[in-house]
Amino acid sequence: MSHPTLPPIAGSEAEILALVQDSGPVFLPRSNLNLGQIRSGFACALHMHQPTIPAGTGGELISHLQYMLEHPGEGDNHNAEPFAQCYRRLADILPQLIAEGCNPRIMLDYSGNLLWGLGQMGRVDVIEALQKLACDPSLQPHVEWLGTFWSHAVAPSTPIPDLRLQILAWQHQFKALFGPEALQRVKGFSPPEMHLPNHPDTLYELVKALKECGYRWLLVQEHSVERRDGSGLSQEQKVLPNLLVARNSSGEELSITALIKTQGSDTKLVGQMQPCYEAMGLGRQVLGGSTVPSLVSQIADGENGGVMMNEFPPAFLQAHRTISAKGSEADTVAINGTEYLELLEAAGVTSEQFPQIQAVQQHKLWQQLSGPPSPAATEAAIAELQAQDSSFSMAGASWTNNLSWVEGYANVLEPMTSLSAQFHQLFAPQLARDPGVTATEPYQQALLHLLLLETSCFRYWGQGTWTDYASEIHRRGLAQLELAAAGALQVV
């Protein structure tokens, strides 16, 4: 049951969770790569996002892309149509390369509210191009979609119960647009801003939610993780798959495969296809009892800045043509994340053989802890470390470590935390009695505003218009909760 003013973000949880459970290899049956002949590979991802803002004619929730189109004179809003073309252009570029005899690969990460906004705007041209990229059998070996949080929330400062809501909301959105089979193929996860939590409980709950929602691996920024002894990753380890171990404050452990995004937030890395040329200089490495190709993994904004708008298409074409020109001697290949991991598994290399890593700063924390682990002891150890060491932080790490998503944003974070607590306080008892509550309009309206308030953009552009947007979404979210509470009282 969906509502015309609402995106598809809830109501089919049981169906989706059943759909995404591991059902064998996804890319392996269609892969045209031979692992034994590959010396090295590169996996490039494009991240696409436009926030939803309360800035329509009557204050309606609209895509920021729509706002840009309607206000071309402000800032760099003249880029709105070039951005829209960036969202669709791979549907032209990939078939062109395939027709030339090339073997291209790309991974795509689109936020849920970008996908919703494109539909709101009636951009059928973009939606049809994305449907081709998600559903056309001839493109499936070449395109991998990555899951993400629906509204581009940053994980470390998102309330723990909402991590799963964000993941599931995106899965609802993706399934509604592209169908159940396309969703079953989404096995990798791209955290917004490459922001990995390092607080033990947040990271544990994130990994738990990812695994419950069918994800096999996630992309992490190299500076957000460390080896189990607290040292940084070696250059060789950064181009191998790793096993991210999440241990919570009670001592429970979960793990998930991680591919390492090297270097920082620099669109030129993908815009000029640096991963391809780096991979050409790498060889096979020993992993477990065999040798495997090194893999350079990289992600960048797919539309932002002159490099991605203008330089990426010719660089992408040139990189794949360069490899293709080598013919059967091409031992560096484009390869997507899940395809690489499935080829490794088919060759007998499993995640148990991957080097183990953990979130950055956790070694210090586990060293500080004495006695059996407990939430109280963990919090005490964190407090002691913060008092002793100004560089110690449990705010997570991302590709923009010069920018805090927390400091100076109490006017967004406190309402966000409060709205989340009130949301769960109201709906948890109702859901315990009837899981079908997620299909109702009061639940979905309240959920929409909660997810939107967690959008990172409201804490990226500084105080002013963007924090005002957050205040307005918070106000509307409270109003939706009041309506839902009143309705629940009437039902009782």
Side-chain angles (χ1 to χ4, degrees):
M1 178 177 158
S2 64
H3 308 280
T5 58
L6 286 165
I9 51 173
S12 304
E13 289 75 15
E15 179 193 342
I16 282 174
L17 291 172
L19 193 64
V20 297
Q21 285 321 302
D22 215 331
S23 53
V26 175
F27 286 85
L28 192 65
R30 294 172 177 269
S31 178
N32 54 14
L33 297 174
N34 182 333
L35 193 74
Q37 296 175 349
I38 300 169
R39 183 170 50 84
S40 61
F42 60 96
C44 288
L46 299 179
H47 164 63
M48 311 285 196
H49 170 60
Q50 287 289 343
T52 303
I53 55 177
T57 309
E60 301 96 340
L61 293 170
I62 60 167
S63 172
H64 182 248
L65 183 66
Q66 180 177 336
Y67 182 88
M68 290 175 73
L69 284 163
E70 292 171 356
H71 300 82
E74 292 180 20
D76 65 353
N77 287 2
H78 55 276
N79 286 327
E81 190 52 39
F83 279 10
Q85 294 307 314
C86 289
Y87 299 139
R88 63 163 307 284
R89 65 189 178 187
L90 266 298
D92 299 327
I93 294 171
L94 291 175
Q96 178 185 342
L97 281 168
I98 295 164
E100 292 176 16
C102 297
N103 197 14
R105 296 290 187 279
I106 197 70
M107 298 188 293
L108 299 175
D109 154 15
Y110 281 58
S111 71
N113 45 4
L114 170 60
L115 294 173
W116 180 39
L118 291 167
Q120 282 181 300
M121 295 167 66
R123 287 304 296 251
V124 177
D125 59 324
V126 182
I127 297 288
E128 286 181 348
L130 298 184
Q131 285 170 333
K132 184 176 176 182
L133 289 165
C135 305
D136 186 329
S138 69
L139 293 180
Q140 278 169 27
H142 306 275
V143 182
E144 175 166 12
W145 285 82
L146 302 177
T148 190
F149 290 146
W150 185 82
S151 74
H152 205 270
V154 282
S157 52
T158 299
I160 285 175
D162 302 344
L163 297 171
R164 190 169 182 271
L165 293 178
Q166 287 276 1
I167 293 166
L168 273 165
W170 185 91
Q171 291 179 313
H172 275 80
Q173 182 85 54
F174 191 84
K175 175 177 169 287
L177 268 179
F178 306 126
E181 290 171 5
L183 178 60
Q184 285 181 306
R185 291 191 287 271
V186 182
K187 293 300 173 188
F189 189 85
S190 175
E193 304 295 345
M194 287 292 101
H195 210 329
L196 188 75
N198 63 347
H199 188 286
D201 294 333
T202 311
L203 181 61
Y204 180 89
E205 292 300 329
L206 173 61
V207 172
K208 181 182 176 186
L210 288 173
K211 292 173 79 81
E212 283 177 357
C213 293
Y215 289 101
R216 297 179 190 165
W217 63 274
L218 80 161
L219 199 56
V220 302
Q221 161 71 23
E222 63 174 299
H223 299 115
S224 69
V225 290
E226 64 187 17
R227 295 203 276 204
R228 297 301 291 270
D229 64 2
S231 61
L233 277 57
S234 66
Q235 288 304 116
E236 293 77 18
Q237 191 174 344
K238 291 172 190 173
V239 289
L240 286 174
N242 287 261
L243 190 67
L244 176 67
V245 179
R247 174 187 173 193
N248 70 8
S249 61
S250 300
E252 300 168 293
E253 282 193 2
L254 283 173
S255 59
I256 190 169
T257 298
L259 296 180
I260 311 297
K261 176 212 175 311
T262 55
Q263 305 180 64
S265 174
D266 185 351
T267 52
K268 290 194 289 292
L269 294 170
V270 173
Q272 297 169 354
M273 292 303 289
Q274 177 272 343
C276 170
Y277 304 106
E278 181 183 343
M280 286 179 178
L282 299 175
R284 292 174 74 92
Q285 294 192 57
V286 175
L287 185 60
S290 49
T291 65
V292 304
S294 297
L295 179 73
V296 180
S297 305
Q298 196 52 261
I299 185 170
D301 286 353
E303 79 283 64
N304 228 343
V307 173
M308 291 313 297
M309 280 194 285
N310 306 313
E311 296 178 33
F312 168 72
F316 187 79
L317 291 166
Q318 182 185 352
H320 285 92
R321 287 167 178 161
T322 300
I323 293 169
S324 185
K326 295 186 176 185
S328 60
E329 295 175 14
D331 51 8
T332 293
V333 300
I335 183 169
N336 285 332
T338 300
E339 181 181 25
Y340 174 72
L341 294 170
E342 289 181 351
L343 284 166
L344 290 186
E345 192 172 0
V349 182
T350 62
S351 59
E352 289 76 40
Q353 297 163 295
F354 299 166
Q356 292 192 2
I357 56 174
Q358 61 195 8
V360 72
Q361 307 256 25
Q362 288 197 345
H363 180 68
K364 283 184 184 177
L365 175 59
W366 304 134
Q367 277 196 313
Q368 183 74 22
L369 267 172
S370 55
S374 72
T378 303
E379 289 309 316
I382 290 170
E384 287 165 23
L385 281 166
Q386 286 172 334
Q388 297 164 11
D389 181 356
S390 60
S391 69
F392 182 82
S393 167
M394 284 277 110
S398 76
W399 62 8
T400 52
N401 281 346
N402 60 326
L403 184 149
S404 172
W405 302 95
V406 179
E407 287 170 28
Y409 288 109
N411 61 330
V412 177
L413 285 167
E414 288 173 9
M416 188 177 95
T417 306
S418 168
L419 189 68
S420 173
Q422 292 175 71
F423 175 88
H424 293 286
Q425 188 178 1
L426 175 63
F427 286 112
Q430 295 183 34
L431 289 167
R433 290 192 300 269
D434 177 12
V437 166
T438 61
T440 65
E441 182 164 8
Y443 176 89
Q444 293 189 13
Q445 285 284 6
L447 175 63
L448 173 62
H449 289 82
L450 175 61
L451 299 179
L452 290 178
L453 189 53
E454 293 166 353
T455 304
S456 71
C457 307
F458 302 134
R459 286 174 283 138
Y460 183 85
W461 300 107
Q463 297 290 331
T465 302
W466 288 89
T467 49
D468 290 345
Y469 287 153
S471 298
E472 175 59 17
I473 289 169
H474 175 245
R475 185 191 69 75
R476 295 184 192 182
L478 286 176
Q480 291 296 339
L481 283 178
E482 286 174 14
L483 282 171
L489 287 172
Q490 287 169 14
V491 170
V492 172

